[in-house]
Amino acid sequence: MTTPHDTTPQYPFTAVVGMDDLRLALLLNAVSPAVGGVLVRGEKGTAKSTAVRALSALMPAVDVVAGCRFACAPAAPDPGCPDGPHGTGGAEERPTRMVELPVGASEDRLVGALDIERALSEGVKAFEPGLLADAHRGILYVDEVNLLHDHLVDLLLDAAAMGASYVEREGVSVRHAARFLLVGTMNPEEGELRPQLLDRFGLTVEVAASREPGLRVEVVRRRLAYDADPAGFAARWADEEDALRRRIAAARALLPDVALGDAALRQIAATCAAFEVDGMRADIVMARTATALAAWAGRTEVAEEDVRQAALLALPHRRRRNPFDAPGLDEDKLDRTLEEFGADQDPEGDDDPDPGPEGPDDGPGGGGPDGGPGGGGPDGGGCPPQEGGPDGSAAAPELPHQQEREAPKEEPAAPGKDGEAGQPQEPAGQDAPGAGGEAAAVGATEPFRTRRLDVPGLGEGADGRRSRARTAHGRTTGARRPHGALGKLHLAATVQAAAPHQRVRGRSGPGLVVRRDDLREAVREGREGNLVLFVVDASGSMAARKRMSAVKGAVLSLLLDAYQRRDKIGMITFRGTGAELALPPTSSVEAGAARLEQLPTGGRTPLSEGLLRAHEVLRVERMRDASRRPLVVVVTDGRATGGPEPVVRAARAARLLAGAGTASVVVDCEAGPVRLGLAGELARELQGTAITLDELRADSVSALVRTVQGNRKAA
């Protein structure tokens, strides 16, 4: 959807308090769209959307061919424009558009739709432009980009990289230009983007609400003033907006004259190599960003502070190796690399470029009076000084699970644990391993690649990579009459349906006479993402440090697998006298890893409470999203203690889950030379399967031939 044109002025960009890195990244893309867009990561309620929408008012107006739906430039129209060829018709000026892509948009809404019925019967390419066409030569804004379906993100980023959009349906193809400033915002708590998609955004910034009371007061004061009188508030900031608009235009004009010397190129290449980023895109983005920074500062040569700021904006998100890594950059290492490969180390004796009046350490915050390299003051090249860290950069918060893991320490084994014969009952002292019956949390072992655990049957949930499902993408398995709007056309089935009626319909030429009732859409089979609900035993019988570290490592591995397969995840833990929903169903495996890292152990084993809590969580989730099928992964040794008849109650709870048709897997954590096989009994009650920690590994020999579906049939 395009931004609605109403009489209410946008919140002024210059009135946004703080967020220096965000404003600088947006302005650099306004100066040089070739930088590749901005991904804004941050907690909810930090004015991410406000800042992005405010940018559109600063962009210069564009000249377009009158009547062209694809915003062709009159001086250089697109030769392949579907509305072309353009003659010497009139031109018109219009404001730069900002187009918003809704999370729930369809593929046709994004790239456009072809009228297949007219294409078959009349041979006419009837094309209805999509949002990519609307955004050409403007801004495309995707709020909550991490919640978009993967295939939409792929289409979006491919268009951004190629500057064109291609729509193909059954041999009918349309191409049109699609060059735009791409801005995405996301809350990491709701799930991460895949690393290869993160790499397609030129720059990324982390935003967070200031903890400084004075700045928070100013944010509230300005917002209330804007809400009370939008026009008056905008008028008070009109001079600052005009000045910033003129500065963007001046930087754009200066950009072609900016020289990127060999010294700066060496620093860029050395920095990317030092931080081990994959591929060459980071080098190119850094070069373009440094050039834009120099133009923004009014200089015609790239200086070291430009390279440093470019690295802080272009590299953090490219260093992630798995979803549990937070974006970030070691600034001390960055400074050492820049110093080592600086101009004074040039073996060819190039002239040492003047670093400018403000070196990277000038000012109280380092990098200028605004606390950021090239940022802030009228001569410093950045945004007005209002807020930021001590060095003006966005420091990635350190999450608990990303801290250095403590090596597991040996502790005396609790009496009567693994290997005990007879009906398992935890010793009286086992419910008090520490104060309050709780042992301190231990770190997880290194994650490993797990075998795939499928949900049996054929689902119809969201696209993913776990279980078989009917999806919009995948291999074609048949055809059917469309329900509502036509999806993917099944050409052979459509022709077969229309062929018997050609004489009755009076066909006289080569064209096929096709009616709406003849159309058939393809039925495709791919894979779906599931809701993987972990039910983790945190009782005293699991409290041995080595054992719990291995269990946490297994769950961490399953979390990573769920991330790669596009699942939602949830986590229930049970210990003592009850069960706790430690993580409500979410797409953020990072949050799951953080909860797991902090998980304490100790107390009795209320297995039934954990299973009953799982049943209740799944009941609620079915009402929210009935198409997403669940998979329950119970991580336990199978013991059930605490309360009256704990074993009987656990069996009843398991049968309750099985009766609801819930697919389940029991990861057997029992250890020791003597095994009671209680996890296997639990799996039989769940009508699922039991696997050991060793069998969970993808390289396990037994894992190659055992699947959840096969074991359910065998049971």
Side-chain angles (χ1 to χ4, degrees):
M1 58 180 289
T2 56
T3 303
H5 300 285
D6 55 28
T7 58
T8 303
Q10 288 277 9
Y11 191 93
F13 188 86
T14 50
V16 175
V17 178
M19 298 195 297
D20 293 350
D21 285 337
L22 170 58
R23 292 183 294 132
L24 180 58
L26 291 172
L27 291 170
L28 291 178
N29 275 272
V31 171
S32 176
V35 166
V38 185
L39 176 65
V40 187
R41 296 164 46 92
E43 58 195 20
K44 52 187 176 295
T46 50
K48 302 185 295 293
S49 301
T50 298
V52 174
R53 294 189 177 101
L55 178 69
S56 61
L58 299 175
M59 303 290 285
V62 295
D63 293 326
V64 299
V65 174
C68 178
R69 298 175 297 168
F70 300 87
C72 283
D78 180 10
C81 176
D83 283 355
H86 299 298
T88 57
E92 60 184 13
E93 185 181 82
R94 75 178 190 199
T96 296
R97 287 179 176 173
M98 191 184 80
V99 178
E100 295 191 40
L101 174 60
V103 170
S106 65
E107 181 178 335
D108 285 348
R109 186 71 187 97
L110 176 63
V111 300
L114 280 168
D115 191 334
I116 298 297
E117 186 175 352
R118 291 190 62 192
L120 290 176
S121 60
E122 303 175 28
V124 175
K125 289 184 180 179
F127 180 65
E128 182 66 28
L131 295 177
L132 292 179
D134 293 342
H136 179 46
R137 303 177 66 198
I139 302 172
L140 182 60
Y141 172 48
V142 189
D143 193 14
E144 306 295 351
V145 64
N146 51 322
L147 302 183
L148 276 180
H149 287 300
D150 286 343
H151 70 282
L152 291 183
V153 177
D154 291 337
L155 291 170
L156 176 65
L157 295 179
D158 284 344
M162 296 186 296
S165 175
Y166 295 84
V167 185
E168 297 187 4
R169 291 284 182 84
E170 307 299 340
V172 182
S173 176
V174 172
R175 172 209 168 275
H176 64 82
R179 292 183 295 276
F180 46 81
L181 168 57
L182 176 63
V183 182
T185 58
M186 60 175 284
N187 182 353
E189 293 178 356
E190 297 172 341
E192 289 285 355
L193 278 175
R194 306 196 308 269
Q196 60 268 39
L197 299 184
L198 281 172
D199 184 55
R200 299 297 289 272
F201 283 93
L203 310 179
T204 187
V205 291
E206 295 274 345
V207 296
S210 172
R211 300 298 184 256
E212 172 59 41
L215 289 174
R216 296 175 75 96
V217 167
E218 186 60 24
V219 170
V220 175
R221 181 182 291 119
R222 293 186 187 184
R223 186 69 211 192
L224 293 177
Y226 172 77
D227 291 341
D229 182 10
F233 185 83
R236 290 196 294 273
W237 291 87
D239 291 343
E240 287 84 351
E241 293 283 288
D242 289 340
L244 194 55
R245 195 176 293 112
R246 290 192 298 270
R247 187 174 178 185
I248 292 173
R252 279 189 169 189
L254 182 62
L255 187 65
D257 299 327
V258 176
L260 182 65
D262 288 343
L265 275 174
R266 278 197 307 275
Q267 287 182 319
I268 290 171
T271 300
C272 292
F275 285 100
E276 300 179 348
V277 295
D278 296 330
M280 295 298 296
R281 185 176 285 116
D283 304 64
I284 297 171
V285 171
M286 272 192 65
R288 291 170 174 169
T289 304
T291 304
L293 279 162
W296 181 245
R299 289 184 269 102
T300 56
E301 187 170 352
V302 173
E304 182 174 308
E305 63 262 32
D306 301 323
V307 176
R308 186 181 193 278
Q309 182 66 62
L312 292 174
L313 294 172
L315 295 189
H317 61 299
R318 293 185 164 89
R319 298 194 63 244
R320 300 186 71 207
R321 291 297 182 263
N322 64 62
F324 309 138
D325 295 336
L329 211 62
D330 184 342
E331 295 192 36
D332 290 337
K333 181 178 179 180
L334 172 61
D335 290 336
R336 290 194 301 270
T337 303
L338 293 176
E339 182 179 357
E340 180 181 356
F341 291 90
D344 55 346
Q345 302 296 324
D346 182 6
E348 299 177 3
D350 290 345
D351 293 335
D352 185 10
D354 182 6
E358 294 180 353
D361 295 323
D362 291 342
D370 64 330
D379 300 321
C383 301
Q386 291 174 336
E387 187 188 25
D391 60 353
S393 63
E398 186 177 23
L399 299 178
H401 62 275
Q402 291 151 351
Q403 299 170 355
E404 186 71 24
R405 291 194 176 102
E406 177 186 0
K409 300 177 182 178
E410 294 291 342
E411 286 190 350
K417 63 183 188 70
D418 300 306
E420 172 180 334
Q423 175 58 40
Q425 293 293 333
E426 294 169 7
Q430 194 173 9
D431 60 352
E438 180 176 301
V442 298
T445 59
E446 286 300 315
F448 51 85
R449 189 167 65 91
T450 67
R451 52 179 286 194
R452 186 173 68 202
L453 306 175
D454 295 339
V455 176
L458 191 64
E460 294 184 350
D463 288 351
R465 296 185 177 181
R466 184 171 296 279
S467 305
R468 293 176 55 229
R470 296 188 183 93
T471 60
H473 305 273
R475 61 186 182 90
T476 300
T477 59
R480 66 182 178 189
R481 292 180 183 271
H483 303 292
L486 177 67
K488 300 288 185 180
L489 179 76
H490 195 295
L491 182 59
T494 298
V495 172
Q496 186 177 4
H501 309 293
Q502 296 304 296
R503 180 175 299 178
V504 176
R505 294 173 181 173
R507 173 186 172 186
S508 57
L512 189 67
V513 181
V514 179
R515 299 286 187 262
R516 175 69 185 176
D517 290 342
D518 300 328
L519 298 179
R520 299 291 185 271
E521 65 181 6
V523 176
R524 296 173 181 263
E525 182 177 314
R527 291 198 173 269
E528 65 179 1
N530 298 108
L531 168 59
V532 181
L533 183 61
F534 296 95
V535 183
V536 182
D537 185 348
S539 65
S541 67
M542 306 280 286
R545 294 183 70 89
K546 277 188 176 181
R547 188 176 178 198
M548 197 61 199
S549 292
V551 169
K552 285 188 175 183
V555 178
L556 195 66
S557 303
L558 288 166
L559 285 171
L560 181 58
D561 180 70
Y563 165 80
Q564 294 168 341
R565 300 193 188 281
R566 316 293 181 260
D567 295 318
K568 288 182 68 175
I569 62 165
M571 186 182 299
I572 293 170
T573 62
F574 58 93
R575 55 182 291 272
T577 59
E580 175 189 2
L581 180 59
L583 181 68
T586 177
S587 297
S588 176
V589 296
E590 190 177 48
R595 302 292 195 281
L596 182 69
E597 189 77 10
Q598 300 166 357
L599 178 65
T601 58
R604 295 190 176 275
T605 312
L607 177 58
S608 60
E609 300 301 321
L611 298 178
L612 290 173
R613 189 64 184 271
H615 181 268
E616 177 61 19
V617 169
L618 295 181
R619 184 187 66 81
V620 174
E621 287 301 310
R622 285 191 187 96
M623 292 189 290
R624 292 176 177 170
D625 185 0
S627 63
R628 188 179 286 271
R629 297 186 296 162
L631 173 65
V632 173
V633 180
V634 185
V635 185
T636 182
D637 57 7
R639 295 171 182 262
T641 63
E645 298 184 321
V647 177
V648 174
R649 293 183 71 245
R652 288 174 181 169
R655 289 193 291 270
L656 185 63
L657 278 170
T662 305
S664 58
V665 178
V666 178
V667 180
D668 185 359
C669 302
E670 191 174 26
V674 179
R675 296 175 183 252
L676 303 178
L678 300 175
E681 294 180 11
L682 175 62
R684 284 190 288 274
E685 295 288 0
L686 288 167
Q687 296 183 22
T689 187
I691 58 176
T692 65
L693 289 175
D694 180 64
E695 291 170 338
L696 185 62
R697 295 178 177 271
D699 54 1
S700 170
V701 174
S702 59
L704 298 177
V705 294
R706 298 179 60 189
T707 64
V708 176
Q709 184 175 9
N711 280 273
R712 283 190 62 152
K713 289 180 178 178

